[in-house]
Amino acid sequence: MPIHYHKSVTIIPKLLHLNLGPHGWSVSVGPRKAHMTWHRHGRRTTTVRLPGGFSWRRHNRRH
């Protein structure tokens, strides 16, 4: 059974978070239901949570 580590540090409540994990760090901006995340290697993820447990995600890579 693998053990995973993830820590989220709130910088501005309900708006800005620093996420730390085994593969590096990322920064998330926005509320929980609709936010954008910038990863350390230039990848950007947009996430929107929908009613009923569904979510929509889009990944973009910086060129």
Side-chain angles (χ1 to χ4, degrees):
M1 177 173 88
I3 297 173
H4 299 279
Y5 174 78
H6 178 84
K7 176 71 177 169
S8 181
V9 178
T10 301
I11 299 172
I12 299 174
K14 297 186 181 180
L15 183 63
L16 184 62
H17 302 278
L18 175 64
N19 306 302
L20 305 167
H23 299 288
W25 57 270
S26 65
V27 175
S28 295
V29 176
R32 179 179 279 208
K33 295 201 177 210
H35 63 274
M36 294 181 74
T37 302
W38 285 269
H39 302 271
R40 138 183 111 127
H41 294 295
R43 185 175 181 181
R44 184 181 75 204
T45 303
T46 304
T47 306
V48 178
R49 293 187 182 184
L50 304 171
F54 296 99
S55 66
W56 175 81
R57 249 185 218 164
R58 180 171 182 163
H59 302 285
N60 295 334
R61 183 171 280 289
R62 182 175 56 191
H63 296 287

